[in-house]
Amino acid sequence: MPADLRTINTAGVLCHFAQATRYTQFTLHEQNQKWSTPIVLVVSEELPPGVITHAQAAQPHKGGIVEDSRSARAALGVELARSAGEIARRWFDTSALAVESKQDGSPVTQADREIEQYIRAQVAEHYPDDSFLGEEFGETTGTTQYRWIVDPIDGTKSFVHGVPLYANLIALEEEGTIVAGVINLPSADVLMHAERGKGCWKNGKQVHVSDKTELDGAYVMATWLEDWHPDSIVDLQSAGAVIRTWGDAYGYMMVASGQAEAIVDYTTQAYDLAPMPVIIEEAGGMFTSLDGARDFNGGNGIASNGAVHDSVLKIVNQG
């Protein structure tokens, strides 16, 4: 074996991978027989607690078939988000980034398209019958109970202006319910993920929402304030809340990790919010649309620590 390769045993399968990079693709082998259809995965050399690889979650079988399970897909989602972050950082650090405008006036870049194409290709390789919804290339309908929902770069305006609070978002929906989600903030070096019943994890440490019960001193995030009714801003401030425009996925990460109490989005698409229900709820909080429904596809959303949810919802719904 070459000196630059290491060997590990994962789920009874001998695996070789190069030490040269932090996240490296490798091919699974049996001890004495290469698989007829090798499976290429991405792993971290030093995985933090609470993170499992797709190789660990998906029990392999000869012929390259992996276990058809929620946890295997959730683990793959985390790995794909990490790889998406590497692509994003490459574009973020270059002056060659070209920005175009979509029909709705929102910006799109080569990075958005390259990341979504990469994630689509990887999902199609591992789970070709799953459905897939992405911001840049629309929806592909599959035949399983699973649908992947991807925003390759959430916060493209931040991305193109050199603000390091953009994110890669991946969600897994099972029979209409979001069961796993990932928020990756590559330039901030933060990855948050959750799976139903397994908690919410930020850089390998389990996190929880804050225990603040009053609006006085509560931090309420907004992606932007243009949609807000002026009375809502005044009433929140009168109640002692602190309003900050640390929005997009970054704001939801702050709520889930207890750094803020709520975030309100008046105008969204499904791929903007898809990971948020499972991430916020597994951290002990609450996510709803602005009409109080447990729905990420209603064109708006609010996430909170739960204790201040009704108070914020009442104020932001006026006008």
Side-chain angles (χ1 to χ4, degrees):
M1 182 182 301
D4 63 342
L5 293 184
R6 291 174 57 193
T7 302
I8 61 172
N9 193 289
T10 303
V13 179
L14 192 66
C15 307
H16 308 302
F17 62 99
Q19 290 181 293
T21 57
R22 184 179 178 189
Y23 301 107
T24 309
Q25 288 188 339
F26 68 92
T27 304
L28 297 181
H29 300 262
E30 285 188 317
Q31 185 79 35
N32 298 310
Q33 177 184 359
K34 189 169 182 177
W35 290 21
S36 58
T37 307
I39 303 174
V40 178
L41 304 174
V42 179
V43 299
S44 165
E45 292 187 33
E46 296 182 0
L47 287 173
V51 178
I52 61 173
T53 68
H54 185 236
Q56 292 168 323
Q59 298 298 320
H61 306 284
K62 287 186 179 180
I65 300 172
V66 298
E67 181 186 359
D68 185 23
S69 74
R70 173 196 298 178
S71 291
R73 286 172 169 84
L76 179 62
V78 173
E79 293 170 4
L80 294 180
R82 292 186 189 278
S83 296
E86 295 299 321
I87 298 172
R89 289 185 67 170
R90 172 165 50 82
W91 283 107
F92 187 71
D93 294 331
T94 180
S95 60
L97 185 69
V99 183
E100 303 172 23
S101 293
K102 295 190 283 190
Q103 288 186 344
D104 63 1
S106 62
V108 63
T109 70
Q110 303 105 305
D112 296 87
R113 295 186 178 117
E114 182 179 338
I115 290 169
E116 184 170 325
Q117 287 171 333
Y118 168 77
I119 296 174
R120 281 180 178 271
Q122 291 296 307
V123 170
E125 178 179 342
H126 293 293
Y127 302 106
D129 296 324
D130 287 1
S131 298
F132 194 106
L133 172 64
E135 178 176 6
E136 307 307 334
F137 297 102
E139 185 152 19
T140 301
T141 302
T143 58
T144 73
Q145 70 268 40
Y146 293 103
R147 180 171 70 149
W148 298 75
I149 305 174
V150 171
D151 189 346
I153 295 183
D154 180 65
T156 302
K157 291 179 180 178
S158 294
F159 183 76
V160 300
H161 285 88
V163 179
L165 301 183
Y166 64 91
N168 317 115
L169 304 182
I170 299 178
L172 179 67
E173 185 181 48
E174 181 180 5
E175 296 181 342
T177 299
I178 300 297
V179 294
V182 189
I183 298 173
N184 184 39
L185 296 142
S187 290
D189 199 25
V190 173
L191 188 144
M192 177 175 283
H193 68 98
E195 183 183 351
R196 290 285 173 199
K198 297 186 178 181
C200 180
W201 300 79
K202 176 184 175 184
N203 287 356
K205 296 182 179 180
Q206 192 166 9
V207 294
H208 303 276
V209 296
S210 77
D211 58 3
K212 195 170 192 58
T213 60
E214 304 293 334
L215 285 181
D216 189 15
Y219 273 67
V220 179
M221 308 291 101
T223 298
W224 53 69
L225 292 174
E226 289 90 336
D227 293 338
W228 285 57
H229 193 282
D231 289 346
S232 296
I233 298 173
V234 171
D235 288 352
L236 278 172
Q237 291 175 330
S238 296
V242 180
I243 301 174
R244 290 290 182 268
T245 52
W246 299 327
D248 294 321
Y250 183 75
Y252 290 89
M253 181 276 296
M254 291 188 69
V255 173
S257 57
Q259 298 169 279
E261 279 63 54
I263 179 169
V264 179
D265 270 322
Y266 279 95
T267 306
T268 61
Q269 301 293 331
Y271 40 75
D272 297 317
L273 297 180
M276 309 315 172
V278 65
I279 284 175
I280 296 296
E281 290 169 8
E282 285 298 310
M286 181 179 295
F287 176 91
T288 69
S289 61
L290 292 183
D291 62 5
R294 195 164 171 261
D295 181 17
F296 70 92
N297 198 22
N300 52 57
I302 174 174
S304 77
N305 67 352
V308 302
H309 199 89
D310 290 343
S311 298
V312 176
L313 198 58
K314 181 179 179 180
I315 291 174
V316 300
N317 271 328
Q318 63 182 314

